[in-house]
Amino acid sequence: MSIEHTADEGAMSFQDHYPDDVAHCYGCGRFNEHGHRIRSFWDGEQSVCTFIPRPYHTAIPGYVYGGLIASLIDCHCVGTAAAATYRAQKREPGSEPALRFVTASLQVDYLRPTPLGPPLALRATVEEVKGRKVVVSCTLSAGGEVCARGRVVAVQLPELIRPLPPL
Amino acid sequence: MSIEHTADEGAMSFQDHYPDDVAHCYGCGRFNEHGHRIRSFWDGEQSVCTFIPRPYHTAIPGYVYGGLIASLIDCHCVGTAAAATYRAQKREPGSEPALRFVTASLQVDYLRPTPLGPPLALRATVEEVKGRKVVVSCTLSAGGEVCARGRVVAVQLPELIRPLPPL
């Protein structure tokens, strides 16, 4: 299901709303040409993201590297935290003042080896939006089977100092 | 301190003892030419590892990507789990049957932004060796300051099926 979302290249992802000066993250920054450039979208009350690992993203041969799994869960949940806060404040995504979150803590449980090959489908649920803190839980599935579960506590960066427009 | 250890290219790291057929991990496999190829060593009762991030391993500009931090903690602790089990069994590292661990769970607390530039120093402590399960805690420091703390529960892979030698 989530493939349909991320395959829609024309849609604006959560990460497309990151302000330019904080959109360089290796996991989710649209300006990081070396990075994963994940893209996350709402699917009702949950958020989804699909990522196709490279052959070298391996752990034990045939299985996905756990560090990649942690990274994807981290960035998808942090993006979801920002999107959820725009929603909670009844604001348009990307409207000023811009919202950008960072990770305070990350927990990942590896339930079974994740096969390397099929797209990885992330699906996150917002557990709590409380002031500058948002808690997001997430599953990562391959071939329809949940292989890992994660939980992220994200905290909002202080209001970003925006570059002034040219006179 | 840990720089001295990992700078010793001639020494055998924990990861150098991984059997050839399970030494392809993106984080710690010596055969993964795209990966981080971390190298971990004993420093008394603790284990150490140093990693120099690339400029593109960024989160917010100027700071290290949290997914990289999680990945380094993960692989350093999993390597430490294998080394600790050889020690607990009073066996030479790399002796047969080979020991190789995988991650069951990973917890990372990001205490402060990690500056991007200085070497990242990991230092791990073995909390528990119990049968096939090893619990390892770890700090990650930059410029002498602890920036993140992690905890890994590692479990031993079933005894590896070793390729037969040629007749």
Side-chain angles (χ1 to χ4, degrees):
Chain A
M1 256 191 348
S2 52
I3 295 172
E4 295 163 23
H5 292 269
T6 53
D8 181 357
E9 293 291 336
M12 288 283 277
S13 71
F14 298 166
Q15 292 82 12
D16 290 323
H17 295 297
Y18 288 173
D20 286 357
D21 51 353
V22 287
H24 300 78
C25 173
Y26 186 83
C28 56
R30 60 186 178 277
F31 296 137
N32 193 324
E33 62 184 22
H34 299 278
H36 302 320
R37 287 177 163 167
I38 69 162
R39 305 183 74 228
S40 305
F41 302 87
W42 287 119
D43 180 27
E45 291 301 307
Q46 294 185 309
S47 66
V48 294
C49 170
T50 301
F51 185 83
I52 300 176
R54 304 286 177 91
Y56 53 76
H57 285 138
T58 186
I60 303 296
Y63 298 99
V64 177
Y65 172 49
L68 176 70
I69 291 170
S71 300
L72 297 174
I73 288 173
D74 181 11
C75 278
H76 178 54
C77 290
V78 164
T80 299
T85 304
Y86 282 119
R87 268 197 175 182
Q89 296 179 358
K90 304 187 191 311
R91 291 169 50 195
E92 283 297 310
S95 60
E96 298 284 342
L99 296 174
R100 182 77 164 85
F101 281 69
V102 293
T103 311
S105 77
L106 167 68
Q107 165 75 38
V108 181
D109 293 315
Y110 299 91
L111 307 177
R112 54 177 58 81
T114 304
L116 180 57
L120 305 178
L122 295 117
R123 179 168 286 273
T125 303
V126 179
E127 304 287 351
E128 185 183 354
V129 179
K130 191 173 181 182
R132 305 180 74 84
K133 185 180 109 173
V134 179
V135 181
V136 184
S137 64
C138 186
T139 59
L140 180 143
S141 305
E145 193 167 41
V146 175
C147 299
R149 287 185 193 279
R151 184 176 179 276
V152 167
V153 178
V155 292
Q156 189 184 333
L157 276 179
E159 185 172 342
L160 301 165
I161 299 167
R162 313 294 308 135
L164 290 172
L167 291 175
Chain B
M1 253 188 354
S2 51
I3 295 172
E4 296 164 22
H5 292 269
T6 53
D8 181 357
E9 293 292 335
M12 288 282 278
S13 72
F14 299 165
Q15 293 82 12
D16 290 323
H17 295 298
Y18 288 172
D20 285 355
D21 51 353
V22 287
H24 300 76
C25 173
Y26 186 84
C28 56
R30 61 186 177 278
F31 296 137
N32 193 324
E33 62 184 24
H34 299 278
H36 302 319
R37 288 176 162 166
I38 70 161
R39 306 182 74 228
S40 305
F41 303 85
W42 287 120
D43 180 28
E45 291 301 306
Q46 295 186 308
S47 67
V48 294
C49 170
T50 300
F51 185 83
I52 300 177
R54 304 286 178 91
Y56 52 77
H57 286 138
T58 185
I60 303 296
Y63 299 100
V64 178
Y65 171 50
L68 176 69
I69 291 169
S71 300
L72 296 174
I73 289 173
D74 181 10
C75 278
H76 178 55
C77 289
V78 164
T80 299
T85 304
Y86 283 119
R87 268 196 174 181
Q89 297 180 356
K90 303 187 192 309
R91 290 168 50 194
E92 283 297 311
S95 59
E96 299 284 342
L99 296 174
R100 183 76 164 86
F101 281 69
V102 292
T103 311
S105 77
L106 166 68
Q107 165 76 38
V108 181
D109 293 314
Y110 299 91
L111 306 178
R112 55 178 57 81
T114 303
L116 179 58
L120 305 178
L122 295 118
R123 179 168 286 273
T125 303
V126 179
E127 304 287 349
E128 185 183 353
V129 179
K130 191 174 181 181
R132 306 180 74 83
K133 185 180 109 173
V134 179
V135 181
V136 185
S137 64
C138 186
T139 59
L140 181 142
S141 303
E145 192 166 43
V146 175
C147 299
R149 287 186 193 279
R151 183 176 179 275
V152 167
V153 178
V155 292
Q156 189 184 332
L157 276 179
E159 186 172 343
L160 301 166
I161 299 168
R162 314 294 307 136
L164 290 172
L167 290 175

